Amino acid sequence: MQQEKTYYITTPIYYPSDNLHIGHAYTTVAADCMARFKRMQGYDVFYLTGTDEHGQKIEKAAQEKGMGVINYVDGIVSNIRKLWDKMLISNNDFIRTTEKRHEDVVQKIFQKVYDQGDIFISEYQGWYCTPCETFFIERQLVDGKCPDCGRDVELLKEESYFFNMAKYAPSLLEHIEKHPEFIQPESRRNEVINFIKNGLDDLCVSRTTFKWGIPVPFNDNHVVYVWFDALINYLSAIGYLDDEEKYHKYWPADVHLMAKDILRFHAIIWPIMLMAIGVPLPKQVFAHGWIMLEGGKMSKSKGNVVDPMVLVEKYGVDAVRYYLVKELSFGQDGFYSEEMLVNRINSDLANDLGNLISRTAAMIKRYFNGKIPAAGIHEPIDEEIKDAAFMAYQEATEKLDKLDFSGYIIAVLKLVSRVNKYIDETEPWLLARSDNHKERLAAVMYNLAESIRITLVLFAPTMPTLAEKANQQISIFDEPNNLKWEDAGKWGLCRVGSTVGKGQPLFPRIDIKSLDEVNGKKEENIKTNDKPVKAVDKEHISIEEFARLDLKVAEVIGCEKMKKADKLLILRLRVGEEERTVVSGIAQHYTPEELIGEKVVLVANLKPTKLRGVLSEGMILAASDETNVEVLFVKEVAPGNKVS
Ligand code: MSP
């Protein structure tokens, strides 16, 4: 029987010393994107995350709050779980290092390494950074501070157990050289090689000056060093020394994902621990960059952390996940600002993707009674769309396999933009004018629906609710929550004859009063809809005054975007026998295709005025709040009739 393909991916287990921020969310969402991608490819995926609950840092955090340590971490862990639920993280397990299943394995491994003589007792004298839980010798400090985080270090002098890492350094170097994919990206690999070549000191693996840790099995005065304890989670969670079948099914892990700050622990200490116990090494250790804020790295002590829960509540889970996955270029650092997040939502998601879907749905509704037509008459330009779709599939697959998350998003965006261009090139609204072009129009609509199907499959690992929501507008999938990756590589799977509906806008545009202000006072300046509104805010007028307005029903017979003006549409209206041109500032809320054929209310006796060189002869009525603009449509009454 063929063995099932498995894929085991991990995030670091986070310190529950405080609630997590978007930096932690980045790693977890990126790993989730990989897990979903592999599941869509048919792998049996094991996605692990969790919390690293021992050590001095956690003990201090609880003491500062005047709480018992386990009570304190229970509260934070519960918040972390809620956060991952909210962010639709699809982890298969959540390991806490205070669980017995983990503690038992740590003690057994410590005992084994001690018994074989790789751990020995001596005295530690040196410096310790509690926030990083890391030992340093004098010459490693920078201006007397922690070389990693710049904070104060404390002098330790205590009896400790040591792990002889140098013994395994040559084998590790050999492994790294033989397996170029083991440490990625490449630049980080070189850093690690240099570090090992400079010589590895014995690692202090126990502490005696505090109690919050796993006791060393043969000496109660010592607790196991928190990193020695934490790294073992990757084995204990899959049943090492307990559930042989599960362990052999998933180990070696396919990838340990983390930021560069903790690469050394994963690329040096962890492999050496594994070598010491005779366990094969993980296939890959991948270090991404940091999400930075303008003032530098995010940290609680600087008070500049960004709460992902708040962002998800404000902008929706798909949009926040999309932003995170796109934000860090392969291996590089990136900057976060709410302004950039909003810009991405507006440009990539509302303008490009959302509009593509709603325009296509509106056209299928208008031209084919809302049913996706069969493929009709083919033209050479259609090949370009097919090729673009296949290229997006290939490139997205390749980039994801390399954990190049932003590269993957860019590959899919290229398709979205090519398809938007296809609409402009094929001009369906012109084809719709004559029945002779009906078959060609059908082909264009089919190709659009098909490209959208492929786009939605490709975006599914990042935006897990997108396909289902889009399906309400343009019903392409039988099972939008059960998509197969390989279907994005095929052309022609779209459901012909299935109906399109209105659905909710997928990504409503977010209006920002002033981008500068947003940087200063984020929360208040992103407009929301919940301000109280008064019923009347102008002076009374008489019925005669109202009667001076000449309001007429008008049919939109043509519509196009004003060149070089994001917000303006030029509408051609039929009002009875007469035709009028009206310039309207609704381009960010309606596409020309959504308006052509609709009947609107025209203020017919408004004084004509030139807008960007076009004479606007009147104005159409629309209702608006701070985010939405809705044109008032008339259903049955014919153009030219009065509105009063
Ligand atoms: N507990 C250890 C990990 C043990 S793993 C066996 C730890 N925890 S942590 O809470 O400090 O998490 C560090 C990790 O959180 C980083 O490696 C990274 O994955 C993520 N990030 C934290 N801040 C981040 C950014 N500003 N940007 C990107 N990732 C960040 O270290």
Side-chain angles (χ1 to χ4, degrees):
M1 217 178 83
Q2 206 192 338
Q3 281 256 306
E4 228 181 329
K5 307 180 281 184
T6 61
Y7 184 78
Y8 179 24
I9 182 166
T10 67
T11 70
I13 46 171
Y14 304 109
Y15 292 126
S17 46
D18 216 325
N19 289 332
L20 302 186
H21 55 65
I22 55 160
H24 305 105
Y26 175 79
T27 316
T28 317
V29 167
D32 189 63
C33 185
M34 274 318 279
R36 287 174 182 271
F37 161 60
K38 289 289 167 187
R39 283 192 200 105
M40 286 174 74
Q41 286 188 319
Y43 283 77
D44 174 341
V45 171
F46 196 82
Y47 171 21
L48 178 68
T49 188
T51 38
D52 181 358
E53 305 188 3
H54 293 122
Q56 210 172 351
K57 176 188 174 100
I58 304 288
E59 194 182 67
K60 267 193 181 165
Q63 276 164 359
E64 275 163 22
K65 293 274 181 336
M67 290 175 78
V69 192
I70 197 68
N71 285 343
Y72 177 72
V73 293
D74 277 351
I76 306 273
V77 169
S78 144
N79 293 344
I80 294 176
R81 285 180 188 273
K82 278 189 209 141
L83 174 64
W84 297 154
D85 283 349
K86 186 103 187 167
M87 298 201 80
L88 302 179
I89 301 302
S90 62
N91 53 305
N92 298 83
D93 199 350
F94 186 104
I95 184 137
R96 301 182 57 175
T97 53
T98 46
E99 287 174 72
K100 186 167 183 317
R101 61 168 170 159
H102 173 76
E103 295 188 342
D104 284 350
V105 179
V106 171
Q107 288 192 323
K108 284 179 188 158
I109 290 179
F110 200 99
Q111 182 78 56
K112 176 173 166 52
V113 184
Y114 176 75
D115 289 345
Q116 70 197 33
D118 291 336
I119 285 179
F120 57 93
I121 197 148
S122 179
E123 180 165 273
Y124 181 76
Q125 202 168 355
W127 299 90
Y128 195 73
C129 174
T130 306
C132 296
E133 297 282 17
T134 308
F135 298 97
F136 294 105
I137 52 171
E138 183 89 34
R139 68 177 158 80
Q140 291 175 306
L141 302 181
V142 175
D143 299 331
K145 309 261 185 197
C146 170
D148 289 345
C149 73
R151 281 178 273 212
D152 288 340
V153 284
E154 58 179 311
L155 187 61
L156 298 185
K157 188 173 188 300
E158 60 187 82
E159 183 190 74
S160 293
Y161 288 96
F162 285 85
F163 177 32
N164 176 3
M165 296 219 296
K167 174 176 165 189
Y168 296 94
S171 320
L172 179 57
L173 272 177
E174 196 186 318
H175 182 88
I176 295 173
E177 263 144 33
K178 266 201 195 141
H179 300 90
E181 73 296 342
F182 176 56
I183 300 168
Q184 282 296 317
E186 187 68 23
S187 55
R188 304 261 165 247
R189 177 173 176 261
N190 298 333
E191 278 171 29
V192 172
I193 293 176
N194 291 337
F195 193 91
I196 303 172
K197 284 188 172 160
N198 280 339
L200 296 182
D201 296 321
D202 295 327
L203 177 70
C204 181
V205 287
S206 77
R207 301 285 311 272
T208 52
T209 45
F210 68 98
K211 279 277 160 233
W212 185 244
I214 301 175
V216 165
F218 43 85
N219 186 342
D220 263 2
N221 292 330
H222 291 247
V223 292
V224 175
Y225 170 45
V226 64
W227 270 101
F228 192 97
D229 156 357
L231 287 160
I232 290 171
N233 89 90
Y234 302 130
L235 286 179
S236 59
I238 52 160
Y240 177 67
L241 301 183
D242 178 42
D243 180 344
E244 283 296 293
E245 198 186 328
K246 186 169 178 187
Y247 162 67
H248 286 295
K249 182 170 178 193
Y250 293 113
W251 194 260
D254 289 84
V255 59
H256 294 314
L257 184 66
M258 75 217 67
K260 58 189 179 183
D261 51 343
I262 56 173
L263 176 66
R264 251 186 286 147
F265 296 92
H266 286 80
I268 301 175
I269 299 179
W270 178 229
I272 288 181
M273 286 168 65
L274 291 168
M275 283 175 169
I277 56 173
V279 165
L281 303 196
K283 292 179 202 156
Q284 188 168 74
V285 175
F286 188 99
H288 60 70
W290 279 329
I291 295 192
M292 315 276 281
L293 294 181
E294 263 155 33
K297 200 170 170 238
M298 235 172 294
S299 84
K300 271 276 166 185
S301 55
K302 284 190 193 162
N304 64 351
V305 294
V306 179
D307 183 348
M309 196 71 129
V310 172
L311 294 183
V312 170
E313 264 154 24
K314 230 159 139 184
Y315 301 114
V317 63
D318 281 347
V320 174
R321 287 175 59 114
Y322 171 85
Y323 168 79
L324 288 174
V325 170
K326 187 177 178 199
E327 212 39 44
L328 292 191
S329 297
F330 192 64
Q332 307 290 307
D333 292 343
F335 281 89
Y336 165 84
S337 79
E338 191 158 350
E339 176 191 332
M340 272 184 324
L341 166 65
V342 168
N343 283 341
R344 286 257 187 278
I345 298 176
N346 283 345
S347 69
D348 300 358
L349 299 181
N351 277 4
D352 295 350
L353 178 64
N355 265 349
L356 170 64
I357 298 172
S358 62
R359 280 172 96 182
T360 304
M363 290 191 286
I364 294 176
K365 199 167 154 203
R366 171 148 313 120
Y367 307 141
F368 292 93
N369 291 326
K371 300 220 182 306
I372 299 173
I377 294 175
H378 185 82
E379 283 191 6
I381 193 173
D382 301 349
E383 284 311 308
E384 289 181 30
I385 288 296
K386 270 194 199 176
D387 290 349
F390 192 66
M391 216 143 83
Y393 164 72
Q394 278 187 317
E395 214 180 313
T397 312
E398 199 183 293
K399 299 283 181 189
L400 274 176
D401 273 326
K402 280 170 52 188
L403 290 96
D404 179 354
F405 298 102
S406 61
Y408 140 69
I409 296 283
I410 289 164
V412 191
L413 280 184
K414 268 197 264 175
L415 173 61
V416 173
S417 113
R418 181 65 194 88
V419 181
N420 273 318
K421 195 166 150 231
Y422 177 77
I423 300 185
D424 297 336
E425 289 164 342
T426 51
E427 299 183 309
W429 46 94
L430 296 186
L431 297 172
R433 284 193 184 160
S434 150
D435 273 352
N436 296 340
H437 300 311
K438 196 81 184 177
E439 282 294 295
R440 177 60 194 147
L441 184 61
V444 171
M445 291 304 116
Y446 180 85
N447 292 338
L448 289 176
E450 186 53 6
S451 317
I452 289 172
R453 179 189 66 78
I454 290 170
T455 304
L456 293 174
V457 174
L458 295 178
F459 269 144
T462 333
M463 296 189 272
T465 72
L466 177 65
E468 192 179 10
K469 284 194 191 132
N471 225 33
Q472 290 163 15
Q473 278 189 25
I474 180 160
S475 165
I476 289 177
F477 302 108
D478 286 327
E479 291 182 90
N481 290 321
N482 189 17
L483 303 179
K484 287 202 178 76
W485 187 258
E486 63 182 27
D487 286 351
K490 297 175 187 159
W491 187 266
L493 301 184
C494 194
R495 286 203 310 197
V496 169
S498 70
T499 51
V500 303
K502 181 84 181 134
Q504 294 297 312
L506 293 174
F507 301 100
R509 274 189 72 81
I510 299 151
D511 270 350
I512 305 179
K513 270 188 197 152
S514 148
L515 296 182
D516 291 341
E517 284 173 30
V518 169
N519 270 337
K521 286 185 171 182
K522 298 180 182 91
E523 306 303 319
E524 300 98 79
N525 284 300
I526 306 283
K527 288 186 183 178
T528 55
N529 264 336
D530 43 18
K531 273 206 212 140
V533 180
K534 285 190 288 174
V536 178
D537 45 20
K538 289 196 181 144
E539 277 176 25
H540 286 126
I541 59 165
S542 68
I543 187 80
E544 290 78 19
E545 281 171 295
F546 176 71
R548 290 183 60 207
L549 284 178
D550 192 5
L551 302 178
K552 289 277 171 60
V553 179
E555 182 186 356
V556 185
I557 54 174
C559 181
E560 60 182 306
K561 281 193 162 177
M562 169 97 77
K563 293 210 170 67
K564 295 191 185 152
D566 283 355
K567 296 191 172 153
L568 300 180
L569 287 181
I570 308 173
L571 296 118
R572 195 71 195 143
L573 304 176
R574 184 167 69 83
V575 198
E577 296 302 299
E578 204 188 319
E579 284 191 14
R580 289 278 183 95
T581 297
V582 165
V583 177
S584 180
I586 53 174
Q588 284 168 338
H589 304 275
Y590 288 89
T591 61
E593 299 78 41
E594 283 176 294
L595 294 171
I596 296 173
E598 297 289 353
K599 283 176 286 182
V600 297
V601 178
L602 171 73
V603 185
N605 62 338
L606 194 69
K607 199 168 158 195
T609 181
K610 267 199 172 176
L611 287 168
R612 304 274 182 112
V614 177
L615 187 68
S616 180
E617 305 161 296
M619 177 179 116
I620 63 166
L621 295 190
S624 61
D625 58 22
E626 287 181 328
T627 40
N628 304 297
V629 171
E630 284 177 31
V631 171
L632 303 186
F633 293 118
V634 176
K635 283 218 156 99
E636 302 297 336
V637 179
N641 283 300
K642 228 171 97 178
V643 179
S644 55

